[in-house]
Amino acid sequence: MIKIRKFKKMLAIVPLALLSTTMTATPAFINPVYAAAVQSFSDVPAQHWAYAAVTQLAKAGIVDGYDDKSFRGDKTISRYEFAFIVAKAMDKFDAADDANKQLIDKLSAEFAGELNRLGTRIAKVETKTNTWVSGETRFRYLGNDPKAGGTKLHGSDSFDFRQRVKFQGTINDQISWIARVQATGKSGNYNGADGSNASFDMFAVTAKNALGLDKVRIGRFPYDNFSHGLFGKAIGVDGIRVDETFGSLLFTGSVNNIRGNTSQGTGIGDSGDANTLTTAQFTGKAGAAVGWRAGYYWADAPGTGNRVGTGNTNTGIFGTNTTAATIFTQSRGMSVGFDAKLGNNLLLIGDYVTTKLDNAVAGLPDNPKGWAVELTSATKAPPAFYGAKFLVDAKKVKDFGWSISYRSIDAGAVPNGAGGFDAQAIGYAGAPYSTLAKGSDNIKGLFVALQTTISKNVIWTIEGQSLKIKNKSLTGLSSDDLGKTYMTKFEFFY
């Protein structure tokens, strides 16, 4: 029996080889070395059981780029071509159900010899090819219906774009690297700074089996390791993350600068005296379908508030003061969460956080709490709240997914700069109680997302949410209704 782990390194390059596929789903081998290899393998008989097995895997979405029309016995393919297909299926072994895992095991045993020979050839290519480039283009339309103050989005402010180019590769067998250039802006602002400047929102090096740990990552990366997404940040934070396995438990620790600070007069721009978030978390399983995680955090990111609500928290407890002032200096707390598969088609996720605020001003609770739950059809994606995952497979045309979630978060419960729902908020930054950058503070409300793959590597998403201020007494407003926001976007991957 071929062990899945044995091919882990080999499979890093298999998806690239599979890109050389014709419209009939038969690999087109244009490299002379590969062409010679095809001739060295015999065809698989039209009635061989492997055709039916791969057809089943294709219908389950385990094999990408091949549809069941290619496996009806009207065209035979070589054992070499089958080895490519089986390798692709092995790459998605963990996402398969028990029945399909047995099929993958059976196929890997049948084509063991070809897989071994394929691994040798790919290893030779891999030593020469260690850098890959990919990209992403996004266009969005955004709208809002503000109630508690604020201004409705208008004109080109309702349209924006994002362009990303990602580079990744290997340095050696133990060390890999990744970098991403991103430009964002509002449509129509080509001649302005908005959208005309690009920056690296991601650059990091990851080392396996380093410093006595399973994995160490250092550099800039989206905030991704604490809770299921109640804490989070889509754009990069600078810091370090470590992973270590203890039996069936995974420990993850991190130190990240989640917010820049104003210049302290020691240099140009930010002085480097950034607000830091430090976390320690364990992740485990409570059964085949239930996972859990629990952790502790420390944050030196202060919170600010004022009468008109344009500080970084949704509070306005300073009476007539319109200048943002500090309402707490730092925070620490504990987070717990679970994820549970409900059959084959539903995933339930929940997070809870309790926090202790230092030097909280009068009226602001010094022990705020927050929670969020999500029910989604995205059972094959990693267990994370929508925003940190896709609901569909970009390569599977007509794939459809949905998510519905609810969050209820006290003021100060989530560290300033690490609100996982920030990207779902829409509004002008200077508007009173704008949810922009404050989607996880003194907030409660419902969020819904629908997503489909309209063409290969093209995803269409519709989102909407209805939010209210959780504790109106902290704001001085006559209404707790923040109104509704909505968005539709198209994303292209290549």
Side-chain angles (χ1 to χ4, degrees), residues 75-97:
K75 176 175 172 49
T76 59
I77 62 177
S78 72
R79 294 184 65 87
Y80 179 77
E81 292 170 311
F82 252 115
F84 268 102
I85 300 170
V86 175
K88 184 66 173 177
M90 291 166 66
D91 195 28
K92 292 190 175 182
F93 183 84
D94 291 338
D97 59 24

Side-chain angles (χ1 to χ4, degrees), residues 20 28-41 80 84 121 125 128:
S20 60
F29 301 99
I30 58 176
N31 185 293
V33 175
Y34 287 168
V38 173
Q39 298 171 6
S40 67
F41 293 105
Y80 179 77
F84 268 102
R121 288 183 171 85
V125 176
K128 299 180 180 179

Side-chain angles (χ1 to χ4, degrees), residues 18 39 76 125 155 213 215 303 313 343 385 436 439 444:
L18 287 175
Q39 298 171 6
T76 59
V125 176
L213 299 165
K215 186 186 299 183
T313 65
F385 289 130
L436 185 67
K444 61 181 179 180

Side-chain angles (χ1 to χ4, degrees), residues 223 225-227 231 240 242 251-256 277-281 295-298:
Y223 190 76
N225 63 295
F226 195 69
S227 75
F231 287 52
I240 184 170
V242 299
F251 171 79
T252 304
S254 71
V255 180
N256 291 290
L277 174 62
T278 302
T279 64
Q281 179 173 267
Y296 195 82
Y297 81 89
W298 308 261

Side-chain angles (χ1 to χ4, degrees), residues 457-476:
N457 295 327
V458 181
I459 293 178
W460 178 30
T461 305
I462 298 175
E463 301 177 4
Q465 65 179 344
S466 178
L467 294 175
K468 292 186 176 182
I469 296 174
K470 187 173 182 181
N471 186 346
K472 184 168 66 69
S473 66
L474 293 176
T475 68

Side-chain angles (χ1 to χ4, degrees), residues 441-456:
D441 188 83
N442 200 13
I443 290 289
K444 61 181 179 180
L446 185 70
F447 177 83
V448 177
L450 305 175
Q451 196 170 83
T452 185
T453 305
I454 59 175
S455 183
K456 187 174 181 180

Side-chain angles (χ1 to χ4, degrees), residues 268-343:
I268 299 175
D270 289 346
S271 69
D273 182 20
N275 300 145
T276 301
L277 174 62
T278 302
T279 64
Q281 179 173 267
F282 283 97
T283 302
K285 300 286 290 184
V290 179
W292 61 267
R293 56 190 64 184
Y296 195 82
Y297 81 89
W298 308 261
D300 65 3
T304 63
N306 55 16
R307 180 181 65 80
V308 294
T310 55
N312 57 42
T313 65
N314 277 330
T315 58
I317 59 179
F318 284 93
T320 60
N321 183 20
T322 59
T323 301
T326 300
I327 57 177
F328 65 88
T329 55
Q330 57 187 13
S331 61
R332 65 186 62 83
M334 180 177 179
S335 173
V336 294
F338 74 92
D339 50 88
K341 287 187 177 181
L342 309 178

